[in-house]
Amino acid sequence: MESTTSIDDPNHKEPTLKPIPAISKDKVRIQLLTTWSKAYLHRRSTQTGNRVGILAGYGNSSYGDYYIGLGLAEAARAAGLEPVILGRDTDMRAFTGEGIEAHSLRDRDRGLRAFATIADTLDIIVLGGGGLFEDRVDAPSSQLLAAGYAARALHAANRHIPMAVYGIGVETEPYLFHKTEQLLRQAMTSASSVAVRDSASVRACRRFNVTARQVIDPATIYLARKQPISSAPCAETAAFIPFARRAWPNMTRPGPAEFARQRIDWEHAADSLKEYKKVLVVPFHATDLNFTNQIADVFRARLPRTTVCIAQFSPESPNHALEILAQCGHALTMRYHGFMASHYAGVRTIKTIGTSQKLQVTDALYKSHSLEAHWNSEVATRQAVDTLNQLAQTRRHRPQKE
C-alpha cells in the first residue's frame, strides 16, 4: 500500500509554483501592432494619381490638431497634390468644410483594416504633425497611441508607399514599453525623411539613430491665412486657455480627485489675472469642456470684480478662437497652440502656465523677440511643399518591386 500524506499533516508542503509574470494588456496590443505593420510586404498596385494621405490625430476635437492638419492640407494643394486627411474617430467638419477628403479612423490597435484599405488608394503618406511621439512616457494610453501611428506609417512603407515623417514632436525620455521604442525607430528609419518641430525633438531622434531636421510647425500655414486683418484688442480683457494637465490621462472622465488636483492651476491662473475687468475662458480641446464650470467657479470666487465668460468651442470653425483672442489685450495659456493662436491673433502680451517643453521654448523665443522669425508661415509653407514634392518624386522614380 502506498503511503499518503494528509493535508492536515504538519509535515505536508504544497508544491512551490514559480510566479508567472503579469502580461500587460497594453504590451500585447503593441505586439499586435508590430506584427500587423509587417503583414503586407507584397507589391501593392501602383497608383497614378497625386493623393497624399496626411496621418495624425486629426478630428480629435482639438484646435491645435485642426490647425496642423489644415496647414498641411494647404501645403499639399500648393504642391499640386490632393490632401486626404486620415484622422481619428470624432469631428472632421473642419476639414470637410474646406472641401478636403477626410476619413474618421479608429486609432491605437483598432481600425487597422480600414486604414489599410484607404492607404491602398494613396500615392504618398505624411505622418504628422503634432506631438505624436511626445506624450507622457509613463501613460500606457499614450504609448499605445504612439505605437499605433508608427505601425500605420511602417505598414505603408512596407507596402512601398513613399512615406515621410513631418513636423512632429518626439519624446526626449525613453518610453516604458520597449516595443513602442522599436516601432518608433522602425517607422522613422523607413521614412524618406524625418522633420520635427523643435530642437529637443532633433536631439531625441538621435536616440533612435535617426537624423532629423527642424521645420516650422505647419499650423502656422493655416493661422497666418486666418489671422484677423485688423483688431482692436481691449487692454482690460484677458483670455485664459486651459489644459487639465493634473487630470491627465483621465481628462474625459475626471473624478473628485482629478478636480481637486486641477484646482491648483485654476487658482494660480485666477491670481495672475486680477488686474483685468473681463476674462474669457477659451477652450481649445473638447476635454476642456469638462472643466469649464469649475474654472468659472474658481475665477468668480477669487476675482469677484471681474466678469468671467466661457467662450464657445467650435470644432467646425477652428478660426473662431482667433476671433475671440483678437478681442483680448492679454492671454494666459497652458497650451502651445494656444500661444501660437494668440500670437497670430495679435494679442499684445502672452504668458504661460505649465512646464511643458513646448511652452518653455516658445516663451523664451517670445521674450527674446524672435518668435516672428521662428513662426514664419512663408518659410513653413516652403518647407512643407519641398518635402511633399520630394516625396512625390520618390514615388515617380522608385523602381517597382515584385
Side-chain angles (χ1 to χ4, degrees):
M1 184 176 178
E2 294 184 4
S3 61
T4 60
T5 305
S6 167
I7 58 173
D8 294 324
D9 189 331
N11 296 320
H12 171 74
K13 293 182 179 179
E14 291 290 340
T16 302
L17 299 176
K18 293 183 179 180
I20 301 174
I23 300 176
S24 165
K25 184 167 63 174
D26 292 310
K27 284 186 178 180
V28 173
R29 295 172 71 182
I30 292 171
Q31 179 59 53
L32 183 152
L33 286 165
T34 302
T35 303
W36 172 80
S37 70
K38 302 174 183 177
Y40 292 95
L41 297 176
H42 60 276
R43 176 180 174 177
R44 64 185 288 275
S45 59
T46 305
Q47 300 299 314
T48 58
N50 61 351
R51 288 161 58 81
V52 53
I54 302 171
L55 168 65
Y58 307 121
N60 190 31
S61 294
S62 166
Y63 284 156
D65 289 337
Y66 295 134
Y67 297 155
I68 298 167
L70 289 163
L72 281 174
E74 187 171 323
R77 285 172 166 171
L81 300 169
E82 178 188 352
V84 180
I85 296 292
L86 307 177
R88 299 180 72 174
D89 58 342
T90 50
D91 200 324
M92 307 297 278
R93 288 174 293 170
F95 303 105
T96 56
E98 296 275 349
I100 301 168
E101 180 181 340
H103 297 273
S104 298
L105 304 173
R106 305 289 297 278
D107 53 27
R108 298 178 171 85
D109 59 335
R110 300 183 175 91
L112 303 180
R113 181 177 298 180
F115 171 81
T117 299
I118 295 170
D120 229 10
T121 71
L122 303 173
D123 297 283
I124 57 178
I125 285 183
V126 172
L127 175 64
L132 298 181
F133 299 163
E134 195 178 356
D135 286 334
R136 271 182 47 178
V137 296
D138 58 344
S141 60
S142 290
Q143 305 212 16
L144 188 57
L145 191 63
Y149 288 125
R152 284 161 175 76
L154 188 57
H155 174 93
N158 283 335
R159 300 199 69 180
H160 315 309
I161 307 172
M163 181 271 295
V165 176
Y166 192 84
I168 67 167
V170 180
E171 182 59 59
T172 56
E173 298 295 326
Y175 277 79
L176 178 65
F177 294 152
H178 177 65
K179 283 290 182 183
T180 296
E181 291 263 324
Q182 270 190 339
L183 276 170
L184 304 192
R185 179 181 293 108
Q186 290 168 359
M188 288 193 284
T189 54
S190 297
S192 297
S193 62
V194 176
V196 294
R197 66 185 183 185
D198 57 73
S199 57
S201 293
V202 172
R203 294 191 298 273
C205 284
R206 295 173 191 159
R207 186 171 86 248
F208 300 106
N209 296 319
V210 170
T211 300
R213 73 185 193 282
Q214 185 176 348
V215 294
I216 296 173
D217 190 323
T220 60
I221 301 171
Y222 172 81
L223 289 169
R225 180 167 63 89
K226 292 292 187 178
Q227 65 185 112
I229 297 174
S230 61
S231 60
C234 177
E236 296 180 338
T237 300
F240 174 56
I241 303 170
F243 170 56
R245 60 185 177 127
R246 296 178 191 271
W248 177 267
N250 190 35
M251 292 186 293
T252 56
R253 292 183 296 275
E258 285 84 3
F259 276 122
R261 285 195 298 270
Q262 191 55 64
R263 189 180 180 90
I264 299 169
D265 282 339
W266 309 152
E267 291 174 345
H268 181 193
D271 292 343
S272 301
L273 298 171
K274 286 182 177 178
E275 62 185 281
Y276 297 95
K277 292 185 176 180
K278 184 177 182 179
V279 174
L280 299 175
V281 179
V282 187
F284 255 60
H285 195 291
T287 55
D288 295 340
L289 303 179
N290 296 323
F291 295 87
T292 51
N293 289 338
Q294 189 199 34
I295 295 171
D297 290 344
V298 171
F299 277 31
R300 287 165 183 152
R302 296 178 88 90
L303 306 173
R305 298 179 181 177
T306 300
T307 301
V308 179
C309 301
I310 307 297
Q312 183 180 358
F313 178 70
S314 303
E316 71 281 5
S317 302
N319 61 305
H320 177 65
L322 290 174
E323 297 167 1
I324 296 171
L325 292 169
Q327 305 171 27
C328 303
H330 174 79
L332 179 63
T333 180
M334 299 184 71
R335 290 186 179 273
Y336 164 72
H337 283 107
F339 201 127
M340 187 178 286
S342 299
H343 170 77
Y344 277 97
V347 177
R348 292 173 182 169
T349 63
I350 309 172
K351 292 185 180 179
T352 64
I353 289 182
T355 57
S356 77
Q357 169 190 300
K358 299 188 294 295
L359 277 178
Q360 289 179 335
V361 170
T362 303
D363 195 39
L365 290 167
Y366 176 72
K367 289 174 179 175
S368 65
H369 306 286
S370 56
L371 198 56
E372 194 75 35
H374 185 74
W375 280 344
N376 187 307
S377 63
E378 293 182 4
V379 176
T381 301
R382 186 166 62 249
Q383 290 172 335
V385 169
D386 287 348
T387 296
L388 290 166
N389 282 332
Q390 291 168 12
L391 199 56
Q393 285 293 109
T394 300
R395 177 187 67 81
R396 285 191 282 269
H397 297 293
R398 174 176 289 185
Q400 294 299 314
K401 299 180 181 180
E402 298 295 338

